[in-house]
């Protein structure tokens, strides 16, 4: 029977018949490579890797015309912007983190349910039961924090090199949107584990929504964000949807616009290379062209590799994403703080009222950043001519750092010293000193802070705890009662065996009641410590 | 690349990094090394995963038992004793060998696991008072209207289960170490003098009360004269939400009919709770042993505190 499918018509077979096996295979491989690279053959690739100059016409420009991803990238850069300076690759790294968060986030999403009932249990499952679960979670969280820093630095560098000036005003404005999106990503993600850390940090921030003036608007925004007056199931779902749907969508759109504008105007040259008022970024003389293929691309791949390796090393040796106890709306841990990138707002809040400091000032700040390039229209980009602008940025950074410090509990927080002491020795949500003592070194007994030197062996981890305890008690005895002091304080640490593998450390302080002479006040905290709970003696 | 090399003359490596790209061969080499390092690192992490997950699980269970211990002290020890040894006439012991060797479950005719039995008992409580005990076991899980989240119920059950370890073969930690307890008297012994219970007679005169101490007693931040926290806040909120018992928000301003004064009513509500049952709480009982656990001063303090809840 005659088939119209003749094996001899297959291109590969035909080639073999025409030019022999070896040539045919090489030609086919060449074909495949050319398709995959949208225009480059094996010889082109090899010459690129050898560092040969391109031919004329440059075959390495072909993919920029034919490939979707490559058509977004310029065919060549000006030599002056290809070093570390002036971009420091910060824009590229911001994009890298955006992608990394997307990928690791997708992994976590598979194992996560946005409900108050399951969210926390799902986190535990990711950590205890999903291979590479902790690794991915740590990467996602560390990546998020790094991204905030990188994006902020990118903004700082475009400010310092005055790259926001004409014609790049709009690039800057879309950048501000991307900054807000980045912060919103971090912040909405913060809530998702539904632990005490998440719940209370986000509660502090979300209470700001309520303060938006006038009250009707505040209430509306609050309900819109949380779905109920208090943070609960509806709020968690909304934060989740913002985090995995709305923000990625907004971010992708604005990243597209942002990068389109970057290409449209060309990367701004180092300020000292330009004459005042000129912008020659788009005119790249042939002798200073650096082609994207292979030079820029190889640089980018290397940067991805180095950054990735740095993150992985950090995650393996230095960084563990925190997970505290299950969120509990009824118990506020002492000293709850906002995530570090919002500490400056918490600092502002200590200076004045919520509406002004928490809503009006940050909003004005964001708006003025957004429109800044349309007002700062001076033609100078040279550093020497922008002394005021550059000083302003330094002042601004200093202010943010000081405000952030003021946002921490170190500044202007008054609690009674007994609670401070308990917090230092055994905070409700962190490991603290007591729990870090190896289980076997918790020796059963009752110890007085005033004679621990004789009753606790120096070799026991307990000794360090007692030393800290006794110093804090000494300080509390000296402090006047109006400032939370504990006159004539007596303090004990008692270790008892509660159960197999479970010891109870009781901290107990008594002191004179300043209001009722002759009476004593007391405070007590039980800290159960299980043998397996702190395998590394710490986190 | 040749122009590049010319330009590079006379620059330090740092200057070169700063202003230009390194030669592509160098970058290709570095890139390859970096990616090999990444693959090795991730592979190493992956190989260690089973061990890491085991440690994490053990750690989590340990922490669950720790949390369970705290929950037990605030919510359960007032009936079941500080160490689960039970209190005669109030609630049974939970740490007996029979609980863990199957005898107790067999007596009850329970065929499931001990863990399930405990989870169910603690979560749902007992629907009614049994012949043996004056008050039934309260409901604890929010699923059934109690005050605790399901994961907290699991924590406290893990804590109870941990007593069972003591009866397993080869376990010897507790006795050995307890024997080595120091001679120094614990401050608990020093400072908890024998006290005189106020009793259930509502006609006894009470001293002047201190609301601040009453609040501490109520919240359990200060222990009752018998050394254990009272656990009022386990059943009563102060913010209007109903836990096991009615919220005590506004209790000072809702004197039921037939009582002369709020002092008398509160006195009776605490030491003889079944004399008057708050409407809607019929069948749910407040423990009736507070008369034995409080001295006159402590009772007066709590009443003074409750009177501030207007
Ligand atoms: C998710 C956040 C962001 C991403 C992914 C991103 C990405 C990029 C990229 C890839 C470039 C080109 C390479 C470079 O100059 O480093 C760029 C340039 C630029 N970005 Fe961003 N950016 C982000 C946020 C911002 C922010 C917060 C600002 C400032 C408010 C900003 C302002 C600019 C400006 C003015 C340029 C032009 C620089 C020049 O031509 O020299 N971007 N951005």
């Amino acid at each position: 029977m005659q088939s119209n499918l003749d094996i001899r018509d297959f291109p590969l077979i035909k080639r073999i018949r025409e030019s022999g096996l070896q040539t045919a295979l090489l030609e086919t491989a060449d074909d495949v490579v050319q398709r995959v690279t949208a225009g480059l053959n094996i010889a082109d690739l090899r010459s690129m890797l050898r560092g040969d100059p391109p031919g004329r016409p440059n075959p390495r420009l072909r993919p920029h015309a034919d490939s979707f991803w490559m058509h977004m990238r310029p065919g060549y850069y000006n030599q002056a912007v290809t070093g570390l300076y002036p971009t420091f690759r910060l824009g590229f790294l911001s994009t890298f983190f955006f992608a990394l968060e997307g990928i690791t986030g997708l992994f976590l999403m598979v194992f996560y349910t946005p409900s108050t009932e399951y969210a926390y249990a799902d986190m535990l499952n990711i950590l205890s039961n999903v291979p590479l679960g902790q690794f991915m979670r740590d990467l996602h969280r560390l990546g998020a924090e790094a991204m905030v820093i990188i994006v902020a630095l990118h903004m700082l560098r475009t400010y310092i090199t005055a790259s926001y000036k004409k014609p790049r005003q709009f690039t800057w404005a879309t950048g501000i949107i991307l900054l807000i999106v980045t912060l919103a990503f971090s912040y909405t993600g913060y809530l998702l584990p539904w632990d005490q850390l998440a719940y209370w940090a986000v509660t502090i921030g979300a209470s700001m929504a309520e303060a938006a003036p006038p009250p009707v608007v505040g209430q509306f925004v609050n309900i819109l964000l949380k779905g109920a007056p208090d943070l609960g199931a509806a709020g968690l779902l909304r934060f989740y949807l913002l985090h995995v749907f709305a923000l990625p969508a907004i971010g992708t759109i604005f990243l597209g616009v942002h990068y389109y504008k970057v290409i449209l105007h060309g990367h701004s040259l180092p300020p000292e290379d330009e004459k005042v008022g000129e912008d020659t970024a788009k005119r790249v003389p042939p002798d200073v062209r650096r082609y994207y293929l292979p030079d820029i691309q190889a640089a980018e791949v290397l940067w991805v590799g180095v950054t990735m390796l740095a993150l992985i090393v950090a995650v393996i040796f230095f960084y563990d994403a925190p997970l505290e106890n299950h969120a509990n709306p009824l118990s506020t841990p002492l000293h709850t703080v906002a995530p570090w990138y919002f500490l400056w707002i918490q600092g502002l809040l200590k200076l004045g009222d919520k509406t002004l400091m928490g809503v009006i000032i940050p909003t004005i700040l964001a708006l003025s950043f957004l429109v800044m390039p349309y007002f700062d229209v001076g033609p100078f980009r040279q550093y020497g001519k922008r002394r005021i602008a550059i000083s302003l940025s330094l002042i601004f950074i200093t202010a943010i750092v000081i405000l952030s410090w003021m946002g921490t509990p170190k500044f202007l927080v008054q609690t009674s010293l007994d609670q401070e002491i308990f917090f230092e020795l055994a905070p409700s949500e962190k490991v603290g000193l007591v729990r870090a003592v190896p289980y076997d070194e918790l020796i059963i007994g009752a110890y007085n802070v005033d004679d621990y030197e004789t009753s606790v062996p120096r070799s026991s981890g307990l000794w360090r705890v007692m030393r800290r305890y006794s110093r804090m008690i000494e300080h509390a005895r000296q402090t006047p009662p109006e400032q939370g002091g504990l006159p004539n304080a007596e303090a004990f640490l008692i270790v008892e065996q509660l159960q197999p593998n479970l010891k109870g450390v009781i901290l107990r302080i008594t002191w004179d009641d300043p209001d009722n002479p002759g009476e004593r006040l007391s405070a007590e905290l039980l800290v159960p410590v299980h043998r397996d709970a702190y395998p590394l003696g710490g986190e | 690349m040749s122009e590049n090399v010319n330009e590079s003359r006379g620059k330090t490596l740092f200057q070169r990094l700063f202003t230009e790209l390194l030669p592509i061969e160098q970058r290709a080499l570095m890139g390859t090394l970096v990616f090999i390092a990444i693959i090795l690192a991730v592979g190493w992490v992956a190989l260690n995963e089973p061990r890491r997950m085991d440690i994490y699980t053990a750690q989590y269970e340990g922490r669950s038992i720790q949390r369970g211990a705290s929950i037990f002290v605030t919510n359960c020890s007032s009936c079941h004793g500080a160490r689960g040894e039970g209190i005669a006439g109030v609630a049974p012991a939970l740490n007996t060998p029979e609980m863990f060797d199957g005898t107790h479950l067999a007596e009850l005719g329970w065929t499931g696991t001990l863990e399930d039995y405990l989870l169910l008992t603690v979560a749902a409580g007992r629907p009614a008072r049994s012949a043996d005990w004056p008050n039934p076991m309260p409901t604890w899980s929010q699923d059934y209207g109690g005050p605790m989240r399901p994961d907290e119920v699991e924590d406290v059950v893990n804590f109870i289960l941990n007593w069972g370890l003591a009866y397993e073969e080869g376990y010897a930690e507790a006795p050995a170490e307890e024997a080595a307890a120091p001679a120094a008297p614990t401050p608990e012994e020093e400072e908890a003098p024998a006290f005189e219970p106020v009793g259930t007679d509502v006609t006894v005169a009470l001293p002047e009360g201190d609301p601040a101490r009453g609040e501490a007693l109520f919240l359990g931040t200060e222990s009752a004269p018998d050394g254990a926290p009272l656990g009022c806040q386990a059943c009563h909120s102060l913010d209007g939400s109903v836990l096991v018992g009615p919220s005590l928000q506004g209790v000072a301003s809702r004197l039921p009919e037939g009582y002369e004064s709020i002092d008398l009513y509160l006195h009776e509500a605490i030491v003889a709770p079944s004399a008057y049952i708050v409407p809607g709480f019929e069948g749910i009982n407040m423990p009736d042993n507070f008369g034995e656990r409080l001295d006159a001063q402590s009772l007066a303090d709590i009443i003074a505190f409750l009177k501030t809840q207007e």
Side-chain angles (χ1 to χ4, degrees):
Chain A
M1 197 181 98
Q2 182 74 32
S3 149
N4 41 11
L5 242 187
D6 187 340
I7 191 151
R8 278 163 303 182
D9 287 342
F10 278 21
L12 180 59
I13 306 292
K14 228 168 160 181
R15 263 190 195 151
I16 295 176
R17 285 160 57 103
E18 278 161 19
S19 30
L21 182 65
Q22 198 185 353
T23 325
L25 285 180
L26 278 177
E27 276 176 5
T28 311
D30 218 28
D31 263 7
V32 173
V33 168
Q34 212 154 16
R35 270 166 221 219
V36 171
T37 60
L40 298 178
N41 59 27
I42 295 178
D44 293 333
L45 287 183
R46 293 181 57 185
S47 94
M48 277 189 347
L49 284 177
R50 269 198 309 268
D52 295 346
R56 255 162 224 271
N58 185 347
R60 300 170 191 171
L61 288 174
R62 253 181 260 136
H64 291 280
D66 292 357
S67 143
F68 172 72
W69 295 107
M70 295 289 284
H71 100 281
M72 297 187 203
R73 312 302 311 271
Y76 50 78
Y77 286 53
N78 190 321
Q79 152 78 40
V81 299
T82 55
L84 199 52
Y85 176 78
T87 65
F88 299 92
R89 301 281 189 286
L90 289 166
F92 176 74
L93 284 181
S94 307
T95 317
F96 164 79
F97 277 109
F98 194 76
L100 176 79
E101 292 304 288
I103 296 166
T104 50
L106 196 65
F107 179 95
L108 295 175
M109 235 173 122
V110 172
F111 303 99
Y112 178 84
T113 320
S115 90
T116 47
E117 232 166 294
Y118 297 112
Y120 186 75
D122 285 349
M123 296 313 295
L124 291 175
N125 183 50
I126 289 174
L127 293 171
S128 64
N129 213 9
V130 176
L132 291 184
Q134 185 177 44
F135 181 69
M136 287 295 195
R137 170 165 192 249
D138 289 353
L139 272 184
H140 191 72
R141 184 120 183 181
L142 184 63
E145 310 216 344
M147 182 167 170
V148 173
I149 299 176
I150 296 288
V151 170
L153 287 176
H154 171 59
M155 171 173 170
L156 180 64
R157 101 83 185 149
T158 56
Y159 180 84
I160 300 272
T161 62
S163 301
Y164 59 88
K165 292 201 170 178
K166 199 175 165 214
R168 296 184 183 77
Q169 303 97 320
F170 191 63
T171 320
W172 169 276
T174 52
I176 293 294
I177 308 274
L178 287 172
L179 175 72
I180 295 171
V181 167
T182 307
L183 292 175
F185 256 124
S186 278
Y187 185 65
T188 50
Y190 214 87
L191 181 67
L192 302 184
W194 203 247
D195 60 348
Q196 284 283 73
L197 180 66
Y199 186 86
W200 289 102
V202 171
T203 299
I204 295 177
S207 70
M208 236 87 81
E210 227 174 333
V216 229
V217 175
Q219 278 157 19
F220 178 72
V221 174
N222 190 37
I223 292 283
L224 196 67
L225 193 65
K226 299 191 233 160
D230 288 319
L231 202 51
L236 177 60
L237 185 60
R238 283 172 197 211
F239 270 60
Y240 176 74
L241 290 176
L242 278 174
H243 191 75
V244 306
F245 177 72
L247 290 169
I250 300 171
T252 311
I253 290 169
F254 277 93
L255 180 55
V257 177
H258 190 69
Y259 193 65
Y260 178 77
K261 293 291 169 185
V262 171
I263 303 304
L264 184 70
H265 302 303
H267 291 264
S268 60
L269 299 184
E272 64 277 12
D273 290 9
E274 294 271 32
K275 292 211 191 70
V276 173
E278 271 191 23
D279 188 76
T280 57
K282 274 310 250 190
R283 274 173 274 135
V284 188
D287 57 321
V288 294
R289 285 183 192 173
R290 278 277 161 275
Y291 285 93
Y292 180 81
L293 286 175
D295 262 338
I296 309 295
Q297 183 166 66
E300 289 181 353
V301 174
L302 182 58
W303 273 83
V304 167
V306 170
T307 317
M308 204 58 226
L309 186 62
L311 283 175
I312 290 176
V313 168
V315 157
I316 294 179
F317 295 108
F318 308 110
Y319 182 82
D320 266 326
L323 186 68
E324 298 187 344
N325 289 323
H326 193 292
N328 183 355
L330 300 179
S331 120
T332 323
L334 197 63
H335 299 326
T336 38
V337 286
W340 58 264
Y341 38 84
F342 285 136
L343 270 181
W344 57 278
I345 301 190
Q346 210 172 348
L348 273 174
L349 284 175
K350 290 187 191 165
L351 296 180
D353 125 274
K354 217 176 193 176
T355 310
L356 179 65
M357 294 299 179
V359 183
I360 297 183
I361 291 189
T363 311
I364 291 181
L365 206 60
L367 287 179
S368 21
F369 270 128
L370 199 69
V371 300
M372 180 197 76
Y374 301 100
F375 287 88
D376 176 15
V377 290
F380 298 108
R381 288 187 57 215
Q382 286 69 14
Y383 304 120
K385 301 250 164 69
R386 292 180 69 239
R387 295 226 166 90
I388 296 183
I390 292 177
S391 315
L392 275 181
S393 69
L394 294 181
I395 293 172
F396 181 77
I397 295 171
T398 317
I400 289 284
V401 170
I402 293 178
L403 282 172
S404 299
W405 174 78
M406 285 165 48
T408 65
K410 292 193 174 60
F411 179 74
L412 269 192
V413 175
Q414 270 285 338
T415 36
S416 56
L417 280 175
D418 53 318
Q419 295 308 312
E420 284 301 332
I421 292 171
F422 289 167
F423 179 79
E424 174 103 13
L425 295 176
S428 64
E429 300 300 332
K430 305 231 161 16
V431 175
L433 292 173
V434 167
R435 300 187 190 96
V437 176
Y439 182 82
D440 289 322
E441 292 175 21
L442 288 172
I443 309 161
I444 310 285
Y447 311 102
N448 187 321
V449 286
D450 292 327
D451 61 14
Y452 75 96
E453 304 232 27
T454 51
S455 54
V456 183
R458 264 197 104 112
S459 58
S460 157
L462 211 48
W463 197 84
R464 277 184 49 231
V465 174
M466 289 305 290
R467 187 177 53 180
R468 185 85 194 91
Y469 194 9
S470 109
R471 288 189 184 159
M472 285 187 296
I473 290 290
E474 202 43 55
H475 170 241
R477 285 172 180 155
Q478 316 288 330
T479 311
E482 314 79 69
Q483 293 169 28
L486 311 173
N488 291 324
E490 287 288 325
F492 294 90
L493 183 149
I494 303 147
V495 184
E496 52 177 34
Q497 190 78 41
L498 290 180
Q499 269 192 343
N501 292 335
L502 185 71
K503 288 175 184 164
V505 178
I506 296 164
L507 302 172
R508 161 189 269 267
I509 308 176
T510 59
W511 65 95
D512 283 349
D513 183 348
D515 304 325
N516 298 301
E519 301 277 317
R520 297 281 282 174
L521 293 173
S522 75
E524 188 174 298
L525 178 72
L526 166 69
V527 190
V529 183
H530 190 274
R531 185 188 284 281
D532 297 334
Y534 308 100
L536 310 171
E539 305 287 337
Chain B
M1 223 43 33
S2 53
E3 335 115 56
N4 206 354
V5 173
N6 287 337
E7 280 172 21
S8 311
R9 275 209 193 108
K11 289 187 185 170
T12 63
L13 176 70
F14 183 71
Q15 281 172 329
R16 284 175 57 200
L17 275 176
F18 210 63
T19 54
E20 65 190 54
L21 291 166
L22 291 177
I24 189 143
E25 314 79 81
Q26 293 183 15
R27 280 182 287 142
L29 180 69
M30 274 156 58
T32 315
L33 291 179
V34 164
F35 278 96
I36 292 176
I38 291 179
I39 292 169
L40 291 179
V42 176
W44 189 69
V45 172
L47 283 179
N48 276 313
E49 278 301 84
R51 203 178 87 86
R52 183 197 64 75
M53 291 192 290
D54 286 348
I55 294 180
Y56 194 92
T57 308
Q59 167 189 325
Y60 180 73
E61 276 164 11
R63 293 190 187 186
S64 169
I65 293 172
Q66 289 178 182
R67 285 192 299 271
S70 300
I71 294 174
F72 191 87
V73 167
T74 26
N75 296 301
C76 321
S77 54
S78 58
C79 291
H80 288 284
R83 302 201 161 220
E85 72 279 13
I87 297 179
V90 180
L94 301 177
N95 65 356
T96 57
E98 294 74 30
M99 181 68 96
F100 300 95
D101 64 12
T103 328
H104 182 58
L105 295 188
E107 269 170 21
L108 293 169
W110 176 269
T111 51
T113 62
L114 176 60
E115 185 177 2
D116 286 345
Y117 170 73
L118 294 175
L119 279 172
L120 210 67
T121 308
V122 179
R126 288 281 152 81
R129 167 194 310 235
S130 74
D132 305 339
W133 307 103
N135 296 302
M137 162 81 175
T139 296
W140 293 102
S141 172
Q142 285 171 356
D143 289 346
Y144 308 106
M148 277 165 29
R149 285 191 317 268
D151 60 290
E152 291 174 314
V153 173
E154 278 170 36
D155 289 341
V156 75
V157 165
N158 284 338
F159 172 76
I160 296 175
L161 285 172
N162 195 41
W163 268 309
L165 205 60
Y167 305 113
E168 278 174 22
E169 245 171 274
Y171 180 78
E173 174 187 57
E177 289 192 31
E178 246 155 7
T186 67
E188 304 241 35
E189 284 161 0
E190 277 175 358
E191 287 172 30
F195 65 99
E196 198 175 322
V198 58
T200 52
D201 179 359
V202 294
T203 57
V204 298
L206 295 179
E208 187 75 12
D210 166 15
R213 176 157 181 270
E215 178 171 19
L217 286 168
F218 184 89
L219 296 175
T221 48
E222 182 173 344
S223 299
D226 66 356
L230 290 169
C232 314
Q233 96 291 6
C235 298
H236 296 292
S237 80
L238 294 172
D239 63 4
S241 55
V242 174
L243 306 173
V244 178
S247 171
L248 296 186
Q249 188 186 42
V251 66
S253 39
R254 51 166 190 260
L255 188 62
E257 262 178 55
Y259 287 88
E260 284 161 35
S261 76
I262 191 71
D263 285 86
L264 266 182
Y265 170 63
L266 292 175
H267 190 156
E268 184 190 273
I270 296 171
V271 298
S274 43
Y276 169 83
I277 303 288
V278 179
F281 292 88
E282 296 82 2
I284 311 175
N285 287 285
M286 166 154 161
D288 52 11
N289 63 337
F290 288 120
E292 279 93 73
R293 298 192 52 204
L294 294 167
D295 55 22
Q297 182 62 54
S298 306
L299 179 61
D301 294 345
I302 295 179
I303 293 176
F305 166 63
L306 291 181
K307 277 165 67 186
T308 64
Q309 302 296 310
E310 302 197 308

